[in-house]
Amino acid sequence: MNPMTINEMTSDECSAVLVRASFGRLGCSLKDQAYVVPIYLVYDASYFYALSTEGRKIEWMRKNPKVCVQVDEFQGESNWVSVIAYGEYQELTEPQFTQERNHARHLLEKRPSWWQTALAERELKAAKNIIDPLFFRIHVVSTTGLRASD
Ligand SMILES: Cc1cc2nc3c(=O)[nH]c(=O)nc-3n(C[C@H](O)[C@H](O)[C@H](O)COP(=O)(O)OP(=O)(O)OC[C@H]3O[C@@H](n4cnc5c(N)ncnc54)[C@H](O)[C@@H]3O)c2cc1C
């Protein structure tokens, strides 16, 4: 069996992985406590776009916008890539960010049922059937990536 090697990826290689991603793990933190949630997202021109509902992650990212997103492509124990993107949370409120919000919607709706996970999770908890979807983006300022191969 060939030994596995792990190499650092260039920033272009990292970007290529982010562009292919439709799912990632969003990490945020508040008062020395980390919080990681799985989330659907789309990467375009240095920004991740996502749909969410109000809750802990939004509350925390409003207070501390420094976040990260981890994505990977796993094809086997010795054949994978993993990228961590560090960036800043930005809520796409209206009317200031109407254009960006429409752009987010356009990108996200390419995935079938793109809105269902966020809203279904919230519907479980909502006392009333009133759900206010929220769009946000993360401006990616740096990336690191590792590639395993044999
Ligand atoms: C494949 C997949 C795709 C998803 N895509 C989206 C998406 O696009 N947008 C979106 O908003 N959400 C998505 N979710 C759900 C997301 O992971 C969170 O569960 C959800 O957004 C609620 O997060 P919150 O911080 O608002 O939690 P809150 O409703 O505020 O609840 C906080 C409490 O619930 C616990 N909790 C919250 N989420 C999880 C979890 N995933 N696993 C275990 N415990 C949890 C926390 O530890 C804490 O105790 C997706 C989940 C999966 C599995």
Side-chain angles (χ1 to χ4, degrees):
M1 199 169 83
N2 293 330
M4 179 175 75
T5 57
I6 296 182
N7 293 301
E8 288 185 13
M9 294 162 63
T10 65
S11 112
D12 283 351
E13 288 171 331
C14 290
S15 294
V17 172
L18 301 187
V19 167
R20 288 195 294 269
S22 59
F23 169 81
R25 292 176 179 82
L26 169 66
C28 57
S29 68
L30 192 68
K31 294 182 183 162
D32 296 330
Q33 177 62 61
Y35 184 48
V36 178
V37 286
I39 191 164
Y40 289 121
L41 28 74
V42 177
Y43 184 75
D44 180 55
S46 299
Y47 288 94
F48 272 117
Y49 293 87
L51 169 78
S52 179
T53 50
E54 298 268 351
R56 179 180 292 181
K57 66 180 178 307
I58 297 298
E59 190 190 316
W60 284 26
M61 291 191 294
R62 282 174 180 157
K63 291 181 178 154
N64 178 11
K66 288 195 184 298
V67 301
C68 65
V69 174
Q70 187 269 343
V71 302
D72 52 66
E73 294 171 352
F74 183 82
Q75 269 141 8
E77 279 182 22
S78 54
N79 186 2
W80 49 260
V81 294
S82 171
V83 174
I84 299 180
Y86 296 89
E88 292 231 356
Y89 171 77
Q90 194 175 46
E91 207 160 305
L92 300 180
T93 50
E94 292 189 288
Q96 304 96 301
F97 291 105
T98 301
Q99 202 178 327
E100 291 81 358
R101 207 179 148 94
N102 290 339
H103 185 57
R105 183 184 290 274
H106 173 72
L107 291 170
L108 287 159
E109 69 190 6
K110 288 179 186 163
R111 191 175 65 74
S113 309
W114 57 282
W115 44 270
Q116 281 181 354
T117 308
L119 300 192
E121 193 275 342
R122 179 55 38 158
E123 271 172 350
L124 285 174
K125 294 179 181 172
K128 288 184 276 176
N129 209 14
I130 300 168
I131 298 159
D132 195 13
L134 181 156
F135 288 91
F136 68 87
R137 67 181 182 179
I138 292 162
H139 181 212
V140 173
V141 292
S142 68
T143 53
T144 61
L146 295 177
R147 178 189 302 281
S149 51
D150 51 23

